[in-house]
Amino acid sequence: MPRPKHEHPTPGELEVLKILWDRGPSTVREVMEVLNRRRRRAYTSVMSLLGVMTEKGLLAREPKGRAYLYHARVTREKTRGEMLEDLLGRAFEGSAAALVANLLEKSSPSPQEMEEIRLTIDQYRQRQEDA
């Protein structure tokens, strides 16, 4: 049976993307070493996942000796934005206020994070006024 198509990266794919966003281009072995810090995975499993991600257009690869060097074809910001838009629409009926209220309740931000949130809101308001 064919694999279901996911509009957004699966949790495993997102884990790989985070590694490549942080490290930059990496081989299967390098990705596997980082993944194995949390949970052991076989080389062939990681290689298969990177192959699927390449087919889906999430990654690109180029030869490096006898191996391939993989890099993300999607940016962290674009991926986060698309996933957030989907969550906002599906779970919060498009209400940014409901999303933020739930986020604050579940994450219990520190005073420093609350100040960063306030600054982000102020910057957003300023951009809206300037537009």
Side-chain angles (χ1 to χ4, degrees), residues 48 80 98 117:
S48 177
R80 282 180 176 170
I117 291 168

Side-chain angles (χ1 to χ4, degrees), residues 8-55:
H8 304 293
T10 65
E13 291 169 348
L14 193 55
E15 195 173 8
V16 168
L17 284 169
K18 287 177 184 177
I19 292 167
L20 295 175
W21 289 328
D22 292 342
R23 288 181 50 96
S26 303
T27 64
V28 174
R29 188 158 311 282
E30 291 167 337
V31 171
M32 183 186 74
E33 287 171 1
V34 176
L35 289 172
N36 282 348
R37 292 179 193 157
R38 296 186 70 202
R39 183 173 58 88
R40 299 279 309 153
R41 291 163 178 94
Y43 180 89
T44 54
S45 297
V46 176
M47 185 173 64
S48 177
L49 178 59
L50 294 177
V52 168
M53 293 176 71
T54 300
E55 289 175 19

